[in-house]
Amino acid sequence: MARVINFNAGPAGLPLAALERARDEFLDFEGSGMGILEHSHRGKQYEGVHNEAIALLRELLGGTEDHEVLLLQGGASQAFATVPMNFLHPGRSADYVLTGGWSEKAFEEAQRVGSARVACSTAVNKRYARIPTQDELKLDPSACYAHITTNNTLFGTQWRRTPNTGAVPLVADMSSDFLWRPTDVRPYALIYAGAQKNLGPSGVTVFLIRKDLLATARKDLPKIFRFGVHAENNSLYNTPPTFAVYLMRNVLAWARSLGGLEAVGARNAEKARTLYGAIDARPEFYRCPVEEGSRSAMNVVFRLPTEALEEDFVAEAKKAGMVGLKGHRSVGGIRVSLYNAVEPSHVATLAAFLGDFAARRG
Ligand SMILES: *Cc1c(COP(=O)(O)O)cnc(C)c1O
């Protein structure tokens, strides 16, 4: 078996230990004579996995006492709709901070539900290269909530601080950097994250919803879209994505085995330092379009002098066993995703390749 070095943006590579555990348990889960895929979501085996996944999320993050933790289907894109459906009340408005393609999509969806306004956008010619300062946020003090995207998967920018939104509930799409380092979740009224970047396979979306916000949710929605219904039923109102939750459980147990989020964060900081170091060492050849203080540790984007060289870079890297390096189709260039599962040794291999490629082609 030859596994490649996987820098995919999502679905992304998973920790080998989590996959091996799934392989070993696939046909016979804990001596039950069947795999977890085949178990009832009302049975004790699946319920054990489900509750362990939630407990691991709470343990890794800490400080979640005031939040409900939900595991739901639909992806972050469904949350773009269900968040305003639940919390954007008629006659009021919600604020959106635009820092990339996903925040634009979240904003557009909110406009379909009710009244939403842009509290700040850092777009220049439809491209985003930075995170705004606190002063740039023109927040509406009567907004139902203010929405940010903590990591901008396409443009390679990341919030390194939590913005102050005063009394307005802060809502964050953390799909591409959830659990990347220790995070104080208490300032966030709502966090959502699709699993397929940092947490596991696609199919499950994690929500942390502070109970004070949840109490204000609209009750006149179809039950399936009401976060309160899912909270009352421990995310077992209907059949959850059982296998995705199971695999996420394996990934979370792996993160704990590394030493929790302190260790995960230190690993990620080292990976980012290695790769940005290799880019910055050759400024005449590699160029990162992102402002220094806004650079993402999860998605590193950069350009080469020509698109032809970029194509060669991706093709040669592939021959060297590294995949997933092509930039998003709307942005171009190179994108390297350094999610939690990516090993530091893999980033060192890529950094060496950058040096070698520039020496030969620069
Ligand atoms: C990937 C991603 C999404 C979309 O997730 P889906 O599961 O495809 O709906 C939304 N927001 C961010 C920040 C992402 O990285």
Side-chain angles (χ1 to χ4, degrees):
M1 179 179 69
R3 284 177 58 82
V4 295
I5 296 180
N6 185 348
F7 294 112
N8 275 334
L14 291 165
L16 191 56
L19 295 173
E20 285 172 341
R21 186 174 180 186
R23 178 196 61 195
D24 293 347
E25 296 181 338
F26 193 67
L27 299 180
D28 183 3
F29 181 72
E30 293 178 350
S32 62
M34 57 176 144
I36 197 72
L37 271 166
E38 304 161 289
H39 271 283
S40 165
H41 64 296
R42 306 284 175 206
K44 78 170 176 14
Q45 279 89 358
Y46 176 72
E47 258 189 300
V49 167
H50 186 89
N51 291 333
E52 188 188 342
I54 292 170
L56 279 164
L57 283 165
R58 289 193 184 277
E59 179 192 326
L60 286 166
L61 282 163
T64 64
E65 295 77 12
D66 296 333
H67 289 80
E68 299 282 357
V69 177
L70 306 182
L71 309 178
L72 305 179
Q73 306 197 35
S77 298
Q78 183 165 300
F80 294 167
T82 52
V83 166
M85 284 164 71
N86 277 267
F87 300 113
L88 176 48
H89 296 278
R92 295 177 60 196
S93 170
D95 273 356
Y96 279 75
V97 180
L98 303 190
T99 49
W102 291 116
S103 52
E104 285 178 1
K105 287 209 163 74
F107 172 61
E108 286 160 16
E109 207 72 331
Q111 286 180 300
R112 293 187 182 99
V113 174
S115 163
R117 71 185 264 288
V118 176
C120 179
S121 168
T122 57
V124 177
N125 299 328
K126 297 195 173 148
R127 290 192 172 239
Y128 295 85
R130 64 187 187 86
I131 297 299
T133 63
Q134 180 70 34
D135 288 346
E136 287 178 281
L137 306 179
K138 302 294 175 236
L139 296 166
D140 168 6
S142 62
C144 291
Y145 59 84
H147 180 283
I148 66 166
T149 311
T150 52
N151 184 74
N152 297 282
T153 325
L154 280 57
F155 290 97
T157 65
Q158 186 177 25
W159 290 76
R160 293 302 183 91
R161 58 173 213 285
T162 301
N164 182 354
T165 56
V168 175
L170 175 59
V171 172
D173 175 2
M174 293 195 184
S175 292
S176 54
D177 68 351
F178 191 56
L179 302 187
W180 80 286
R181 69 173 183 188
T183 303
D184 183 4
V185 299
R186 289 168 301 182
Y188 295 91
L190 193 157
I191 291 168
Y192 61 95
Q196 68 269 25
K197 316 303 177 24
N198 249 352
L199 293 174
S202 60
V204 59
T205 310
V206 173
F207 290 81
L208 269 75
I209 309 181
R210 218 167 51 207
K211 291 165 192 166
D212 59 350
L213 179 71
L214 191 56
T216 70
R218 289 181 64 159
K219 308 270 187 299
D220 56 348
L221 301 173
K223 283 183 85 174
I224 192 69
F225 297 132
R226 283 163 52 187
F227 291 122
V229 168
H230 293 292
E232 279 158 24
N233 291 281
N234 188 30
S235 305
L236 291 161
Y237 168 69
N238 66 324
T239 316
T242 55
F243 195 66
V245 171
Y246 161 80
L247 248 170
M248 183 174 76
R249 187 284 306 259
N250 290 2
V251 173
L252 296 171
W254 163 83
R256 182 175 59 184
S257 77
L258 284 184
L261 298 192
E262 288 286 348
V264 168
R267 237 170 85 102
N268 285 332
E270 179 202 332
K271 283 151 50 181
R273 230 179 0 256
T274 301
L275 185 53
Y276 283 114
I279 294 166
D280 292 342
R282 311 265 177 181
E284 72 296 341
F285 196 70
Y286 299 114
R287 191 177 57 80
C288 173
V290 175
E291 267 189 22
E292 187 87 29
S294 298
R295 287 175 165 189
S296 169
M298 296 282 100
N299 308 98
V300 178
V301 299
F302 59 93
R303 307 295 314 225
L304 275 66
T306 65
E307 286 185 15
L309 277 167
E310 288 170 348
E311 275 174 34
D312 287 356
F313 180 94
V314 170
E316 282 196 32
K318 190 165 183 197
K319 279 197 196 123
M322 291 175 278
V323 305
L325 294 169
K326 204 167 149 54
H328 189 269
R329 59 188 188 280
S330 67
V331 177
I334 308 294
R335 172 172 57 174
V336 188
S337 296
L338 301 180
Y339 300 129
N340 290 356
V342 173
E343 292 294 330
S345 64
H346 294 168
V347 183
T349 302
L350 177 63
F353 177 80
L354 256 73
D356 174 60
F357 189 85
R360 283 187 289 109
R361 308 293 298 274

